[in-house]
Structures are given as structure tokens and as C-alpha cells.
């Protein structure tokens, strides 16, 4: 069963930690070590270490790098300095979201794109189509491991292990260091709604870095957490997941990402369609909602208003912090107003919910 | 956690305990461990009639929804209301405070199709 599945370099470490391993888009990933709820709470209160090496990494280099990136993303990399990172959708010509990624700008001639694992190959093929001889593009996903330290104690942990230069990084900035002869790229980014860092390391050295962090972070409460907690954390933060909440038939405007579409830059793929949407409006919208009572919303549950179906749930879970069901869903725009009452159809029963603003959980320091 | 010897077990990892004409139903320690954090139990309706191995109710963990099948045929006469506020009892005390429902037994012959604790121990060992 496992022959064709991909493993991260930490697979054996996860098994030894007693992780429950599941297939996640062809990767055998740790879903939980102890329990999703305890790992979730530890991330909110202390800090957790995640193996997110399933994420894809694509390097774009050369004289034409900036031009190529500007052409394929909707956001604008001319707005960021070297060693800054930028969140952006990649759209097709119709303005549908092909992926949502983070662009790390090393130099105007060198970018690292961190992409969703389900899209790594498609993104690579897509971007390659637009490249000229002045640019090279390389999928380095199988060489790079990615770890995330997330939670209020993460700054202290990073300071203890890697020093002040890394610990004082502002949000969405990154740096390159060599620690114990291992080259690392460390950024202040994450996907949990907590302060946190992500660490890029060659797969060969990944386990050493993982072990060092666990050992040195132990006294501050650092523990491994799986993809189960990563999902409940990102949902509480109101962050979309590609493949669930957004896909090719969603536009950035429908997904509340209009802020990441910059029309005041040279031409980019999807610009015409997105311009039309900006003026002509959209039909559906991604909303966040909170249940009033028991009942846990799940993907594809119908969302109704006055007994009329107005959309469906795209992600849902039990919120370990709020102790109630929460979710994201796509509904007709007319019904997408915050504070509106909606109903979620769960196993034939109608449960009341309210559309809310995200994040569900407000933190002092938030990524 | 040991599987108590005074209970009978189904292949779907439910247990029953016979108290005269009534059977108490719950899920086993093995089942709760596989499900992980249980956060919601959709209790069956009192008066509902279920056939053996048919869907009795639903339990939800953070990540998934699971059907609970009735180990015997019968009518639901009582449900464990405590689980409405404390579904985690199913994890903590699967064979005690985490019981789900009481059923009026229709036919005691149903019990013969269920496993003893010894048989069930063997059954789950084979699955590991």
C-alpha cells in the first residue's frame, strides 16, 4: 500500500514518536502524535513543531526572474524588498485560482516559491510555459525539507537555538544562516494564526534540525504536532486551504483575496478577467461561520437560508478553542453578509449558524 | 485498557452489557483510541428501533464522522445525556461513563453472534 507513496525525511522519526500516519495527497504524513486537541492547544499556549516537507518548493532564477514572477502572480513583488516574502494567488486566464503560494524574494534575480503539495507539478509546468531563456526554473521539492515552529513561545525557542538575528525577524521576512555547519533559511511565516517561523533545510540535514529544536525547545513546551492540528489551527485563523476552500473555479475576489490582486503593475495572467470581476461583481463568496449549538459542519454540507440552498461548506471542524463547530463555505454573494443567520444541513438535520468575520480567534501577535 | 469479561463485543467495536431485558451499548477502548478526541455524540432517539448491526447513532472526532452500529436488535429506551456536554467521556471511560444507549433486547439469540472478551482480544490483536 505504501510503495508509491512519498515520505518526508522525517517519516521514521514520526513513526518512532508514535504518530498516526495518513496519506495526504500521496504523502505519508503524521496526522497526530497524541491528540489533535492537545496538539492544537499546545500550539496556542506554547509552541509546536510541524513537519511540512510535503509543501513544494520551486526556484526561479535569472535576469528574467522578476518579470516571470510578475507575469504569473496577481500580487506585486516590486512592493517587497530582498529577503521579504509575499502571499499571492496564481491565476489562470479566466481568473481562477491555480494555487495560492508564498513568494520569497532573495534578489530580483532569485525567488523561491512555496506551493501547495497538490499543485507542485502543475505549478512548475504552468510557470515553465511562460519562461524565456533569461530565466531558469527548478523544482527542488525533493531536496528541501520544511519545518514550522508555531506558537507564542516560538520566538524564544528560535532565539535560544539560532540567536537574535532570526528571533527578531519581522513578519514575512527571512534570513539565511549557517548553524552547526547546516545551511538554513528561516522566515517568520506560518499557517496557524500564531506567531511563528518556518525553516528550510536540505533533506539530508533535516532530522538533525528537527531533533535540535525538539531538544532545545522542550523546556518551553515545544512538542511535535501533526497535520490534524495544523488544519484546526488554520481554520480558527480563517485561512483557506487549496483544494478545499479555493480551487480553479474560485477567483481571488470570491475568496476575499482581492487585496492580493494588483492592477497597477505590468500585465499578468488573468488580469482581464479579474478586471471585469472587479467592476462587474461576483456571484459567490467565501464566508466563515460559527455554529450556535452542537453539530460539526463538514465539507460539502449544504448551507441554507430560509430553507433555500445558498451554498456549501468547503471546510469544517470542531474548534478546540471555541469548543463549537466552525467552518468556511462558499455561498451566493447576496447572502454573504457578516452576522447573517444561516443553516447548515448535517445528516438531514438543519443546524443554526452565523456568518462571522475571520479570524475566529484573535491573538495579540498574529501571522 | 482491558476489555471487561462481562461484556460481549461486535466486529464493529461496540460492546454490550446485559442487565435483564436491557442491554447497555458503548464503543470499545480500541475504537475510542482509533477515533481519537470525540467531540460530539449524536445520540439516538428514544423509542427508535434498530436491527442488529444497523446504524444506531453517530460519533464525531475532530477529524471524522463515524457510525456506531447496534450490536443487537432492539428499541432505544435510554440515552446517556451526559455525553451531550461531555462527549470526551467516550474516550476516558469507554466501558463506564462513556456508555451511549440502553436498548430493550428483542431476541437474546442475537447475543450468540457476538464475541466474548477473549475472542475480541484476539480479533483486535489480528488487526494491529
Amino acid at each position: 500500500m505504501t510503495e508509491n507513496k512519498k515520505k518526508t525525511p522525517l517519516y521514521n522519526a514520526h513513526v518512532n514518536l508514535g504518530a498516526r500516519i495518513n496519506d495526504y495527497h500521496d504523502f505519508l504524513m503524521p496526522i497526530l502524535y497524541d491528540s489533535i486537541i492537545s496538539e492544537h492547544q499546545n500550539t496556542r499556549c506554547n509552541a509546536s513543531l510541524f513537519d511540512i516537507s510535503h509543501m513544494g518548493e520551486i526556484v526561479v532564477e535569472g535576469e528574467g526572474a522578476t518579470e516571470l514572477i510578475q507575469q504569473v502572480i496577481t500580487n506585486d513583488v516590486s512592493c517587497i524588498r530582498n529577503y521579504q516574502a509575499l502571499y499571492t494567488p496564481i491565476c489562470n486566464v479566466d481568473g481562477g485560482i491555480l494555487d495560492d503560494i508564498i513568494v520569497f524574494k532573495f534578489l530580483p534575480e532569485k525567488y523561491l516559491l512555496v506551493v501547495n503539495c497538490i499543485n507542485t507539478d502543475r505549478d512548475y509546468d504552468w510557470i515553465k510555459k511562460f519562461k524565456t531563456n533569461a530565466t531558469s526554473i527548478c523544482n527542488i521539492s525533493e531536496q528541501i525539507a520544511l519545518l514550522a515552529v508555531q506558537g507564542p513561545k516560538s520566538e524564544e525557542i528560535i532565539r535560544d537555538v539560532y540567536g537574535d538575528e532570526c528571533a527578531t525577524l519581522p513578519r514575512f521576512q527571512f534570513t539565511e544562516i549557517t548553524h552547526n555547519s547546516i545551511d538554513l533559511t528561516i522566515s517568520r511565516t506560518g499557517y496557524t494564526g500564531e506567531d511563528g517561523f518556518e525553516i528550510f533545510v536540505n533533506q539530508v540535514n533535516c532530522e538533525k534540525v528537527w531533533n535540535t529544536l525538539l531538544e532545545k525547545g522542550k523546556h518551553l513546551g515545544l512538542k511535535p504536532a501533526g497535520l490534524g492540528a495544523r488544519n484546526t489551527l488554520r481554520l480558527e485563523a480563517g485561512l483557506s486551504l487549496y483544494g478545499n476552500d479555493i480551487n480553479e473555479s474560485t477567483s481571488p475576489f470570491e475568496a476575499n483575496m482581492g487585496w492580493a490582486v494588483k492592477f497597477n503593475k505590468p500585465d499578468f495572467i488573468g488580469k482581464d478577467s479579474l478586471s471585469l470581476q472587479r467592476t462587474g461583481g461576483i456571484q459567490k463568496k467565501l464566508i466563515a461561520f460559527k455554529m450556535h449549538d452542537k453539530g460539526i459542519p463538514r465539507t460539502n454540507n449544504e448551507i441554507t437560508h430560509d430553507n433555500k440552498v445558498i451554498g456549501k461548506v468547503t471546510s469544517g471542524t470542531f474548534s478546540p478553542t471555541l469548543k463549537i463547530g466552525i467552518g468556511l463555505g462558499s455561498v451566493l454573494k447576496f447572502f454573504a453578509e457578516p452576522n447573517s443567520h444561516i443553516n447548515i444541513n448535517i445528516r438531514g438535520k438543519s443546524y443554526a449558524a452565523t456568518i462571522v468575520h475571520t479570524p475566529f480567534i484573535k491573538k495579540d501577535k498574529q501571522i | 485498557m482491558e476489555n471487561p469479561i462481562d461484556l460481549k463485543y461486535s466486529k464493529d467495536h461496540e460492546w454490550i452489557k446485559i442487565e435483564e431485558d436491557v442491554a447497555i451499548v458503548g464503543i470499545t477502548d480500541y475504537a475510542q483510541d482509533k477515533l481519537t478526541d470525540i467531540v460530539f455524540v449524536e445520540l439516538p432517539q428514544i423509542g427508535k428501533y434498530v436491527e442488529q448491526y444497523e446504524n444506531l447513532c453517530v460519533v464525531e472526532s475532530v477529524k471524522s464522522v463515524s457510525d456506531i452500529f447496534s450490536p443487537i436488535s432492539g428499541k432505544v429506551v435510554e440515552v446517556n445525556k451526559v455525553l451531550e456536554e461531555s462527549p470526551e467521556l467516550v474516550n476516558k471511560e469507554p466501558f463506564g461513563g462513556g456508555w451511549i444507549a440502553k436498548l430493550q433486547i428483542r431476541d437474546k439469540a442475537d447475543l450468540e453472534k457476538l464475541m466474548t472478551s477473549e475472542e475480541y482480544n484476539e480479533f483486535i490483536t489480528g488487526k494491529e
Side-chain angles (χ1 to χ4, degrees), chain A residues 78-302:
Chain A
S78 73
C79 299
I80 57 167
R81 296 190 309 272
N82 295 350
Y83 291 95
Q84 279 193 315
L86 183 75
Y87 173 83
T88 182
I90 294 181
C91 285
N92 60 24
V93 283
D94 302 322
I97 304 172
L98 285 174
D99 201 0
D100 66 326
I101 68 169
I102 308 267
V103 179
F104 291 80
K105 182 180 188 174
F106 287 77
L107 296 165
E109 297 81 32
K110 185 184 175 186
Y111 296 88
L112 171 72
L113 315 182
V114 176
V115 306
N116 286 293
C117 77
I118 44 167
N119 295 328
T120 307
D121 293 337
R122 187 174 75 174
D123 288 350
Y124 174 77
D125 292 340
W126 175 256
I127 299 165
K128 207 174 160 185
K129 277 207 264 190
F130 304 97
K131 93 171 195 71
T132 60
N133 288 337
T135 319
S136 73
I137 161 168
C138 191
N139 178 2
I140 57 164
S141 307
E142 289 185 5
Q143 286 117 66
I144 298 294
L146 184 52
L147 305 179
V149 179
Q150 301 281 301
K153 300 275 176 65
S154 53
E155 181 177 306
E156 218 176 321
I157 293 163
I158 292 298
R159 179 172 289 112
D160 278 3
V161 183
Y162 301 118
D164 227 30
E165 186 203 344
C166 298
T168 55
L169 280 169
R171 257 179 78 171
F172 275 84
Q173 286 202 22
F174 64 100
T175 187
E176 292 173 288
I177 64 158
T178 303
H179 180 261
N180 290 344
S181 315
I182 299 172
D183 293 332
L184 305 169
T185 299
I186 299 183
S187 70
R188 198 159 200 153
T189 46
Y191 189 55
T192 57
E194 292 294 332
D195 186 18
F197 298 80
E198 291 176 316
I199 303 165
F200 299 82
V201 56
N202 193 293
Q203 294 208 351
V204 178
N205 294 317
C206 172
E207 197 164 350
K208 278 186 209 155
V209 175
W210 170 269
N211 288 335
T212 303
L213 284 164
L214 279 183
E215 193 188 307
K216 295 207 175 170
K218 196 175 176 181
H219 73 287
L220 290 165
L222 184 73
K223 285 183 186 168
L227 292 191
R230 184 169 155 90
N231 189 52
T232 52
L233 289 158
R234 70 95 189 167
L235 259 173
E236 282 187 355
L239 301 169
S240 305
L241 172 63
Y242 196 91
N244 272 46
D245 310 301
I246 51 175
N247 58 41
E248 258 179 286
S249 60
T250 326
S251 87
F253 293 107
E254 293 167 344
N256 308 309
M257 293 171 189
W259 62 271
V261 181
K262 303 284 163 61
F263 291 99
N264 289 329
K265 68 164 195 173
D267 200 20
F268 60 92
I269 299 159
K271 187 177 186 179
D272 293 346
S273 306
L274 291 169
S275 296
L276 279 174
Q277 276 193 22
R278 187 167 61 156
T279 48
I282 48 172
Q283 297 295 311
K284 54 180 186 175
K285 207 162 186 283
L286 198 64
I287 51 133
F289 63 88
K290 194 159 120 182
M291 307 303 289
H292 291 183
D293 204 355
K294 306 274 146 57
I296 300 165
R298 304 286 183 184
T299 305
N300 289 329
N301 286 160
E302 282 177 347

Side-chain angles (χ1 to χ4, degrees), chain A residues 20 36-37 294 298 347, chain B residues 33-34 37 60-62:
Chain A
R20 206 157 293 184
I36 293 175
I37 292 181
K294 306 274 146 57
R298 304 286 183 184
R347 293 184 292 277
Chain B
D33 183 61
K34 289 288 165 219
D37 307 305
E60 296 201 44
S61 67
V62 177

